[in-house]
Amino acid sequence: MGFARACSVALVGVEGVVVEVQADLEPGVAAFTLVGLPDKSLVESRDRVRAAVVNSGAEWPQKKLTVGLSPASVPKGGSGFDLAVAVAVLAAAERIDPRQIADLVLIGELGLDGRVRPVRGVLPAVLAAAEAGYDQVVVPEQTAGEASLVPGVSVLGVRTLRQLIAVLADEPVPDEEPVAPGRPDSALAGLLVPGAGVGTGLSAAPDTGGGPDLADVAGQRTARTGLEVAAAGGHHLLLTGPPGAGKTMLAERLPAVLPPLTRRESLEVTAVHSVAGILPPGEPLVRTAPYCAPHHSATMQALVGGGHGLPRPGAVSLAHRGVLFLDEAPEFSGKALDALRQPLESGHVVVARSGGVVRLPARFLMMLAANPCPCGRHTLHGSGCECPPSVVRRYQARMSGPLLDRVDLRIEVEPVNRSELMGGGRGESTAEVAARVREARARAAARLQGTGWTVNSEVPGHELRTRWTVAPGALAVAERDVERGLLTARGLDRVLRVAWTLADLRGRDRPEAMDVALALELRTGIARGAATLTGAAR
């Protein structure tokens, strides 16, 4: 009787659970039994592993074989267990020393010819292994760079099962013929979900050097100010205006205004993208804020996450630490929009399905764009809008009050006039605005050091009212709005957060009456006398 064990990782959302793969050989009729709550793709590993072992020059044991995946209560799926199953079986058959693999974490799919194929989710799997105390992992060669992002873990990238057997048995490692330059590598198909980037509207953040620039946007000083404030404090933004005014242009330039991701944020974003199958091969670490712009026909599951079995990340998770842009927001399903309310507050989304409950990260900056009416000409003088008032009201009511109450900045975008469009004058560039945003975030981070919060939008309202106070009398106008019912308690907290962001942009120690008044104007659209939108962040 032979027994051996190795380790692999089961992913539940973007979190991993270390699974012990146990192989037991007993005398009897040759059979292969796999237990431990495997799904269909994992059950099929019996045939893949057997063929891969034989085609790698090793002998398949002709005995009663039982492979157990422990803990048995955790659902396990995918083909990433193939490598661990094959090694555990070979160790039980004494082809390799069982002691060599007892504390080894192996992740990878096996082809019938013995090649080790990459799988999605390598980074979160290795992170889970490191947190569990394992310091040695074996992954496919194509994902070795991704696994190496985890500090303190020794990573071995292998191309074939034959190579791994030689390494574990302390034998000469055979040379495997690499893929010829210029030829497609079919193994990379395991890393990408077909059409995933297009289907979610996901793209890399524009580079300030050669991508879209804010200087290309004609006019729109108010909207540009709102964009800068949103980026500096992480505030959600709504732009309302006629078609062709530049709402989408502004949204496409917002990611480049955001600061580069920190190391921790990069690992979080990369883990989500790896699980979702949208991490580009050869670029293991995402360093810039992601930008996700789903079509308005997207379902609630596409936005917050879902799918058969265990839920998969949705648009809110793909936009984690970046921008979620909802163009033509009133055209989205009302249920889909209201499903965003919980992740907007908590920074994560909990999705419960029959296959299990998954907690996915979802701390994003939401930007909404909407037309004033179905035809888009309601606010234009002499434009010939024929939408009845009842139709306009119903169209604008598609975004519910509770959702809009979570949007800090609501700005009406005016059409660009001829002088702004043809004058040739260019506004500030993305680099100039991004520099001010970085300075404002640095001030906020210094003030919030040791609290667990990094930007003003994350600070609870109670802390803003008691721990960090504004200038005396600065809240008088906002308090009157609360008494008159024009501002909710949540709205007051959000006005305070925007006021602190305005103070950070101006280099002040605390908000003054002008900052609070301008924050109210950016939220309600009602002029507040001394507050001026032009040059607000200067």
Side-chain angles (χ1 to χ4, degrees):
M1 182 178 69
F3 177 84
R5 65 180 183 179
C7 293
S8 191
V9 179
L11 289 178
V12 182
V14 294
E15 299 177 353
V17 178
V18 176
V19 173
E20 188 176 77
V21 181
Q22 303 171 342
D24 178 71
L25 285 174
E26 295 181 357
V29 178
F32 189 169
T33 304
L34 183 64
V35 297
L37 214 57
D39 71 349
K40 178 66 173 177
S41 61
L42 184 49
V43 169
E44 292 176 348
S45 69
R46 295 177 300 185
D47 299 318
R48 291 195 300 270
V49 169
R50 182 187 293 109
V53 168
V54 172
N55 290 326
S56 297
E59 182 180 352
W60 182 260
Q62 299 300 319
K63 295 182 180 180
K64 182 181 178 181
L65 170 63
T66 303
V67 174
L69 308 175
S70 180
S73 59
V74 176
K76 305 166 191 71
S79 56
F81 291 87
D82 289 2
L83 200 58
V85 171
V87 170
V89 170
L90 290 172
E94 299 183 351
R95 173 64 179 83
I96 55 180
D97 188 351
R99 293 173 296 179
Q100 294 285 337
I101 65 168
D103 296 322
L104 194 62
V105 176
L106 302 105
I107 304 165
E109 176 186 334
L110 285 175
L112 300 184
D113 57 355
R115 287 186 300 167
V116 181
R117 302 175 63 90
V119 293
R120 298 189 296 271
V122 166
L123 177 59
V126 177
L127 283 170
E131 292 175 359
Y134 294 87
D135 57 5
Q136 291 183 318
V137 298
V138 178
V139 298
E141 186 180 54
Q142 294 91 335
T143 58
E146 182 180 344
S148 299
L149 296 175
V150 181
V153 176
S154 175
V155 178
L156 172 62
V158 293
R159 189 175 303 161
T160 63
L161 178 61
R162 185 184 295 106
Q163 285 184 332
L164 180 58
I165 294 173
V167 171
L168 296 176
D170 197 19
E171 299 171 354
V173 179
D175 293 329
E176 302 290 347
E177 183 179 353
V179 177
R183 292 188 59 186
D185 187 357
S186 61
L188 297 178
L191 293 177
L192 297 176
V193 174
V198 177
T200 58
L202 189 75
S203 63
D207 187 89
T208 56
D213 198 298
L214 268 175
D216 301 331
V217 181
Q220 303 302 353
R221 292 187 177 182
T222 303
R224 290 170 63 98
T225 298
L227 201 74
E228 182 174 342
V229 174
H235 305 289
H236 306 304
L237 172 66
L238 166 64
L239 297 181
T240 305
K247 302 186 293 295
T248 304
M249 288 184 66
L250 289 165
E252 292 173 345
R253 286 150 179 79
L254 178 56
V257 178
L258 296 174
L261 300 178
T262 64
R263 176 73 179 186
R264 178 180 177 181
E265 293 171 343
S266 293
L267 289 177
E268 293 176 1
V269 174
T270 303
V272 175
H273 290 194
S274 178
V275 170
I278 56 175
L279 191 64
E283 299 179 13
L285 187 63
V286 179
R287 294 183 173 85
T288 56
Y291 173 75
C292 188
H295 191 260
H296 60 256
S297 62
T299 63
M300 181 173 65
Q301 291 77 13
L303 285 181
V304 301
H308 298 291
L310 285 176
R312 297 185 64 81
V316 296
S317 298
L318 298 180
H320 181 59
R321 300 296 182 184
V323 177
L324 176 66
F325 176 49
L326 302 182
D327 200 3
E328 307 292 345
E331 301 294 342
F332 280 80
S333 162
K335 291 184 178 180
L337 290 176
D338 286 338
L340 300 175
R341 287 152 53 179
Q342 184 257 342
L344 285 174
E345 289 289 335
S346 62
H348 63 268
V349 58
V350 179
V351 184
R353 294 291 185 269
S354 60
V357 179
V358 171
R359 185 180 187 272
L360 299 168
R363 188 167 297 282
F364 55 91
L365 195 164
M366 182 178 69
M367 183 171 178
L368 306 171
N371 293 327
C373 68
C375 75
R377 300 191 297 271
H378 178 66
T379 56
L380 301 179
H381 299 290
S383 61
C385 175
E386 298 180 355
C387 299
S390 60
V391 173
V392 175
R393 286 195 300 270
R394 283 198 301 268
Y395 185 80
Q396 295 177 350
R398 291 181 180 179
M399 292 183 291
S400 66
L403 175 65
L404 292 179
D405 200 33
R406 291 166 168 80
V407 179
D408 302 344
L409 311 171
R410 310 173 194 173
I411 297 175
E412 186 171 336
V413 178
E414 299 291 339
V416 181
N417 56 45
R418 185 185 63 83
S419 61
E420 292 174 331
L421 188 61
M422 307 301 294
R426 291 169 63 87
E428 288 185 300
S429 66
T430 296
E432 294 173 301
V433 177
R436 286 198 301 270
V437 168
R438 287 194 298 270
E439 293 175 1
R441 287 215 175 189
R443 295 189 187 97
R447 182 175 63 253
L448 301 173
Q449 186 175 9
T451 64
W453 309 305
T454 56
V455 292
N456 293 320
S457 62
E458 299 174 357
V459 184
H462 174 74
E463 297 289 338
L464 290 175
R465 293 191 298 270
T466 58
R467 185 171 179 179
W468 294 289
T469 58
V470 301
L475 284 176
V477 179
E479 291 171 352
R480 285 198 299 270
D481 281 3
V482 173
E483 293 176 354
R484 295 160 59 189
L486 299 177
L487 199 65
T488 64
R490 180 192 288 121
L492 177 61
D493 291 343
R494 292 185 175 275
V495 166
L496 274 174
R497 294 169 181 169
V498 175
W500 272 104
T501 300
L502 291 168
D504 289 333
L505 285 167
R506 287 171 166 166
R508 294 175 178 169
D509 294 333
R510 60 179 179 175
E512 299 179 356
M514 178 183 295
D515 300 314
V516 176
L518 181 52
L520 279 168
E521 183 170 348
L522 288 170
R523 181 174 180 83
T524 64
I526 302 174
R528 303 287 171 162
T532 57
L533 291 172
T534 304
R538 313 294 180 262

